Amino acid sequence: MTSKTVRSNGKVQYAKLPFDLKTHSDLPISRAVKERAILQGSGSSMTQALQFYRSIVEVNRGTPLLAPVLERILEIEEAAAATSKSYSAYEKSLISALEIMSDKAALGKGQEAAATASLARIQQRYKSLVTGLIIASKKSDATKPFRLQTIAILNTYIANRAAPADKVPLRTELGRIYALNKQYAEAVKTFMSLKKESTGAKAQEFLIAAIDSQRFLAEWPVAAPWSGIPKKNATARTTLAEMYEERFAATSNWEDLAHHGLLLINVNSSAKAFQIWTKN
């Protein structure tokens, strides 16, 4: 192992060993040497290393080596996603790793505690990805494609992996990102669904958020338009009128009642508008 074929500048060249590893390819040590050779020759690119780690997942099933292999794949995918800002491959690897490690026997007999610990680390990685994407998507310079990516990942996480206690906060963030991305119909749907499942002040909080997005669909101003505005978007304005009616029932606030009545007048229901005004 001291010849020039295996050393360069005093360092072992793992890709130029004086024996053939293929005849011992089933041994863990052979895979370790191959790993070192790939890492040594990959430079800043981890593509080959990623391919190698993926290739040894199956052969390590049922052994304690499976956990570090899977987690190494995730480390590489996370770094690549942070550079490219494309997170679908990382998400896919997270989901695959979670499915594998959900089996307590994934690392072999007697390794259940280690499997549980690895599963918890992978779950935390997934949660951290979602949290990071939410924060980035709420920034003013976030692009529409980036937010669409976050929305897709967030929907999948909520549906399949989020802890029950996290679902309402995550759905609330989803609604906010829909609104920031000008996907107002989706924002309204999300907030109204949350309102339906809530009571008291929390329900009103979701109703206000829904109204904020419905106003864009209806092209209706924040301040009650006493001078009148052109009649259009009748369906969206009728829905907004119903929201303000519900809001007034909870607040008895004149501004909410004003919006309700003016919306009714705008969609040709003047008699009903004056009726609710004189009644209240």
Side-chain angles (χ1 to χ4, degrees):
M1 295 288 287
T2 59
S3 69
K4 291 183 179 180
T5 59
V6 297
R7 281 186 177 271
S8 177
N9 297 324
K11 294 182 179 180
V12 174
Q13 298 300 295
Y14 290 91
K16 298 179 180 180
L17 296 177
F19 50 84
D20 188 358
L21 285 175
K22 291 181 181 178
T23 57
H24 306 288
S25 60
D26 59 324
L27 298 177
I29 188 62
S30 295
R31 291 193 288 273
V33 172
K34 185 177 179 181
E35 174 191 18
R36 181 57 63 89
I38 289 170
L39 292 174
Q40 193 173 61
S42 63
S44 60
S45 172
M46 296 299 287
T47 302
Q48 273 189 295
L50 186 58
Q51 291 172 346
F52 169 70
Y53 289 122
R54 285 174 175 164
S55 75
I56 63 172
V57 168
E58 290 304 319
V59 75
N60 282 299
R61 277 184 185 265
T63 78
L65 291 174
L66 178 62
V69 168
L70 289 175
E71 293 182 51
R72 182 60 172 150
I73 289 171
L74 295 176
E75 286 175 8
I76 296 172
E77 291 278 22
E78 181 183 22
T83 299
S84 67
K85 305 304 179 184
S86 177
Y87 294 87
S88 58
Y90 182 36
E91 178 199 24
K92 185 177 179 181
S93 292
L94 282 164
I95 292 170
S96 176
L98 285 170
E99 289 172 351
I100 292 171
M101 294 308 301
S102 291
D103 179 2
K104 290 186 177 180
L107 304 185
K109 188 175 180 180
Q111 295 295 319
E112 292 81 6
T116 299
S118 178
L119 177 64
R121 289 192 297 270
I122 296 168
Q123 288 172 329
Q124 185 56 50
R125 275 185 169 276
Y126 199 175
K127 185 174 183 179
S128 295
L129 168 64
V130 170
T131 301
L133 289 176
I134 289 171
I135 293 170
S137 293
K138 289 166 68 176
K139 292 181 178 179
S140 59
D141 61 349
T143 65
K144 186 167 186 176
F146 184 86
R147 285 178 177 145
L148 285 171
Q149 183 178 205
T150 298
I151 287 166
I153 291 173
L154 189 48
N155 271 315
T156 299
Y157 182 75
I158 291 169
N160 301 303
R161 294 291 175 180
D166 293 337
K167 288 194 173 186
V168 169
L170 287 172
R171 287 166 63 200
T172 303
E173 296 290 11
L174 177 62
R176 290 169 180 160
I177 295 170
Y178 273 134
L180 287 169
N181 217 33
K182 299 183 180 180
Q183 294 174 257
Y184 299 118
E186 291 87 349
V188 170
K189 183 178 179 181
T190 300
F191 287 126
M192 290 302 284
S193 176
L194 287 164
K195 182 198 74 68
K196 186 177 180 180
E197 299 166 17
S198 306
T199 58
K202 200 65 180 176
Q204 290 303 305
E205 178 184 321
F206 292 132
L207 178 58
I208 291 168
I211 287 172
D212 287 341
S213 283
Q214 186 64 30
R215 269 203 303 264
F216 284 97
L217 296 174
E219 295 182 71
W220 191 259
V222 174
W226 289 104
S227 298
I229 60 174
K231 294 182 178 181
K232 59 179 178 178
N233 303 328
T235 300
R237 288 179 179 179
T238 298
T239 299
L240 185 57
E242 292 167 354
M243 289 178 171
Y244 272 115
E245 180 178 18
E246 187 172 356
R247 179 67 181 149
F248 177 73
T251 66
S252 297
N253 183 285
W254 167 245
E255 185 70 13
D256 296 325
L257 185 63
H259 276 292
H260 183 202
L262 291 171
L263 280 158
L264 290 175
I265 291 171
N266 193 267
V267 296
N268 299 317
S269 294
S270 298
K272 185 176 179 181
F274 287 108
Q275 181 183 4
I276 62 155
W277 279 342
T278 54
K279 178 181 177 181
N280 293 286

